[in-house]
Amino acid sequence: MKTITSVLILFITSQLVSGQAAAKKIDSICRAISNKNPEVAISIGFVENGTTSFFNYGKISKESKVAVDENTIYEIGSVTKLLTGNLIAQANNEGKLKIDDFIDDYLPKEYVLSKEIKGTIKISDLASHQSGLPNFDFKKLMELNPKQPLDISKESVHALINENTKLIDYGSYRYSNISYTLMGMILEKVYAKSFEEVLKEKILLPAKMENTLTSSFNVKNKVTGYEFNGAAQDFFNWNSLIAPAGLLKSNTADLTKLLKILLSNKGEIAKATPIAETTFFKNTEREVGFGQQMERNGDDVYFYKTGNTMGCASIFAYDKKSNWGMVILLNHNNSNLIGELINTNYDQVLKKKQL
């Protein structure tokens, strides 16, 4: 018994030391990158073997002297899609729907698919960006409302769906916000509740994500977002139609709670991940599941979802086999900087060395 106890203590100690070493390296890497980008407020949460570390650099705005921390709120943009995909997978597990069902009977009655495309689009096609449906014309939306282009009416969504008679690239990957808008409608129909209510009930409350914000986000500890050209940009208003595609606001404290659940394989959120982590589309450029993509290294894989708004950028990534997760939030619309942060840390610290 003493021998078993000693081995267990040695194992736990070695895991802690390994985690601390990784966290120290990550801090060093991110601090160096932050020093090259002093105007960007960066918040990072890192989970390894159940231990969470936070690294924060910069101020909540260019004018402020207040430093960001793990409780500072950012827009997470399309990382929201990962949560929406998980909700669809939970609904499948509960028997509310089947992911291979056609979407026809799950849409509100005012949405009527044309005879040319009825019985074609599956729920899984929406989740993996293969529906072939037209997407929002973001350029046109920007012309109509430069600061709040996602304040879209129901009528504009009706027109996109009801007037469409052709799926030009069905079965091919094309990133789509309209697909996740429809997934939100499907969730509302099968649960007879608003998307916001379903999200809170199925993810935010069980995960104790008390500071992941929906329709109300008027808080003090919140960054100012900046466009790629450095101009200040307001957070997107909440729009219940578009929300499932990318309107959540959160922080690294809350998102690391979700990471720990996904890595633990415990609870209904984690039980939905086998669907979310299934490959639904793959070509030489990308591999796509439910609202997330995969990056493979030999027999190891990490899952990730990026998010970009007009004022913030983010990534949520995790590797179950190597037992780590990372979330990175920026207050600038800068996907290149997100790529530099995640890729440098993965290549230098997190990548599993193949034999």
Side-chain angles (χ1 to χ4, degrees), residues 329-344:
L329 305 177
L330 310 181
N331 73 330
H332 275 239
N333 177 4
N334 192 332
S335 56
N336 290 334
L337 184 53
I338 283 287
E340 181 181 3
L341 285 161
I342 189 66
N343 292 335
T344 306

Side-chain angles (χ1 to χ4, degrees), residues 190-322:
V190 299
Y191 285 109
K193 297 177 181 178
S194 71
F195 171 76
E196 188 174 1
E197 290 173 318
V198 177
L199 175 72
K200 289 179 177 178
E201 179 184 323
K202 300 289 183 181
I203 294 182
L204 302 188
L205 289 176
K208 299 181 179 179
M209 297 170 67
E210 299 173 355
N211 294 301
T212 295
L213 308 177
T214 54
S215 53
S216 178
F217 49 89
N218 185 22
V219 296
K220 288 185 177 180
N221 190 5
K222 176 178 70 174
V223 295
T224 296
Y226 295 94
E227 298 178 22
F228 65 92
N229 61 7
Q233 168 63 38
D234 294 337
F235 280 12
F236 284 141
N237 295 332
W238 183 262
N239 179 323
S240 58
L241 273 174
I242 312 303
L247 294 185
L248 288 180
K249 286 76 178 171
S250 192
N251 57 27
T252 51
D254 264 17
L255 292 170
T256 50
K257 292 177 183 177
L258 182 58
L259 279 173
K260 292 178 81 170
I261 289 174
L262 297 182
L263 292 171
S264 74
N265 288 319
K266 296 178 181 178
E268 298 308 312
I269 298 171
K271 288 178 183 177
T273 59
I275 292 175
E277 294 165 1
T278 297
T279 299
F280 287 89
F281 176 84
K282 185 176 182 180
N283 63 13
T284 56
E285 295 180 359
R286 59 178 55 86
E287 186 174 354
V288 184
F290 253 55
Q292 58 191 5
Q293 293 186 208
M294 296 81 154
E295 182 74 22
R296 295 192 181 274
N297 171 40
D299 63 350
D300 199 19
V301 57
Y302 80 81
F303 302 91
Y304 70 95
K305 182 70 192 82
T306 57
N308 264 298
T309 65
M310 289 172 63
C312 292
S314 56
I315 188 168
F316 182 100
Y318 64 96
D319 183 330
K320 286 185 172 179
K321 190 170 185 178
S322 297

Side-chain angles (χ1 to χ4, degrees), residues 98-109:
K98 293 181 181 179
I99 60 170
D100 287 332
D101 286 343
F102 296 117
I103 68 172
D104 307 36
D105 295 332
Y106 287 98
L107 300 179
K109 61 182 180 180

